[in-house]
Amino acid sequence: MRTFRYVVADVFTDRPLAGNQLAVFTDARGLGDEEMQALAREMKFSESVFVLPPEGEGHARMRIFTPTAELPFAGHPTLGCAFVLAGPLQLQEIRLETLSGVVAVALEREGDRIVFGRMQQPLPTWKPFEDEAELLAGLGLERAELPVELYDNGMHHVYVAFRSAEEVAALKPDLTAFEDAPAVLGINCFAPEGAHWKTRMFSPRGGFLEDPATGSAAGPLAVHLARHGRIGFGEEIEISQGAEVGRPSKLYARADGTADQLERVEVGGSAVIVARGEFRLPY
């Protein structure tokens, strides 16, 4: 039998049993593509990570799978993997190779314990969302408070601005029109909540309906808000997500530069390791 060990981390939270669950298979050598997909389906988390030796300038290479598909990039898997791998290595920064390029994660410690991480995300591109009318109908919304736009940073995220956080919390979407959408499409509904921002992310084809914390969406949200004058470029925002699925999460995001020349997108948060285990698979 072959043995593959994994670590379970709760990401974008500083306490167990909240945030977004992640399985990190710390040595995936010997696993084929179909086996990785089957293990991700077995775990039933929004994503699982499989760690491999680096091929370039990174400390490690990671492959990210939802229960239904492989992703080129995702936020909470990158941050969670950084917490899992960088702890024993005592690194101040870890560079992780993804299918969207190398992502650097800077880490903050209290003693020997990592307490916070900030990832420098791939810079997104954006364009108007072509199916805006169908999307607004599925959300029960006559019009959005900002232009409905699609961002691409390896994941594809569409953003719909609501008037209030209460409207976002009460949302019961009918997204049947998007059941054939690509697995990489996330539908993000957001609104101001005092000085912070509340968001919910729905993924009709991602193997889960609603995500507790979406790191890949947090960075483009900061870009979106800055481009449309709701915040300033260089201003960090705090995002709450996941309360409606019983896993409250907190994310931080910042976009540096200008609308014409985006320079840097950072997303930060905490994570905690909550479990360890192993799979035994035949040769």
Side-chain angles (χ1 to χ4, degrees):
M1 303 291 285
R2 297 171 296 156
T3 300
F4 297 96
R5 294 184 173 87
Y6 66 90
V7 176
V8 176
D10 290 338
V11 186
F12 289 117
T13 180
D14 58 4
R15 61 183 180 87
L17 309 182
N20 203 348
Q21 299 160 291
L22 175 72
V24 179
F25 288 81
T26 53
D27 186 354
R29 289 175 294 181
L31 282 172
D33 294 1
E34 292 183 0
E35 289 179 313
M36 293 183 193
Q37 185 64 77
L39 285 167
R41 188 164 54 247
E42 181 83 5
M43 296 304 299
K44 295 183 180 178
F45 296 159
S46 57
E47 282 105 8
S48 295
V49 166
F50 299 86
V51 178
L52 296 161
E55 293 182 341
E57 299 178 353
H59 292 95
R61 179 164 58 99
M62 53 185 289
R63 296 182 64 182
I64 307 167
F65 287 80
T66 74
T68 61
E70 184 172 10
L71 302 179
F73 170 73
H76 101 271
T78 303
L79 183 65
C81 187
F83 268 70
V84 170
L85 297 184
L89 296 175
Q90 291 297 301
L91 296 172
Q92 296 300 315
E93 180 182 270
I94 187 167
R95 296 173 61 82
L96 298 171
E97 297 175 5
T98 75
L99 295 179
S100 292
V102 178
V103 178
V105 185
L107 303 161
E108 300 174 12
R109 282 182 163 83
E110 291 181 359
D112 293 335
R113 186 170 65 92
I114 301 173
V115 295
F116 200 85
R118 294 182 188 275
M119 75 185 91
Q120 184 175 337
Q121 294 191 335
L123 296 180
T125 59
W126 55 84
K127 62 181 181 180
F129 185 58
E130 295 179 354
D131 299 318
E132 177 178 343
E134 293 88 341
L135 179 57
L136 294 182
L139 297 174
L141 197 63
E142 290 187 2
R143 68 175 185 86
E145 298 297 305
L146 292 175
V148 178
E149 295 177 320
L150 180 70
Y151 286 73
D152 180 359
N153 64 355
M155 285 287 287
H156 294 174
H157 287 289
V158 61
Y159 293 85
V160 182
F162 282 67
R163 183 181 301 107
S164 70
E166 290 76 18
E167 289 182 346
V168 175
L171 185 59
K172 295 181 180 179
D174 177 8
L175 300 175
T176 52
F178 294 90
E179 287 180 347
D180 293 329
V184 296
L185 177 67
I187 296 169
N188 296 269
C189 304
F190 68 94
E193 188 174 36
H196 310 310
W197 295 86
K198 178 179 180 62
T199 185
R200 295 175 69 184
M201 196 283 270
F202 304 96
S203 179
R205 284 289 307 281
F208 56 94
L209 177 59
E210 182 170 356
D211 200 30
T214 316
S216 61
L221 176 59
V223 177
H224 191 61
L225 293 171
R227 286 182 55 240
H228 294 292
R230 295 301 178 92
I231 63 170
F233 280 96
E235 179 182 342
E236 185 172 78
I237 59 172
E238 180 180 316
I239 303 165
S240 62
Q241 188 179 345
E244 287 72 24
V245 291
R247 300 192 66 89
S249 308
K250 187 176 292 186
L251 306 85
Y252 299 86
R254 189 181 79 236
D256 294 332
T258 66
D260 296 325
Q261 187 62 51
L262 190 60
E263 297 173 358
R264 185 183 180 98
V265 175
E266 280 191 353
V267 172
S270 300
V272 289
I273 294 172
V274 295
R276 301 177 187 272
E278 66 181 28
F279 278 87
R280 297 179 179 178
L281 303 177
Y283 283 94

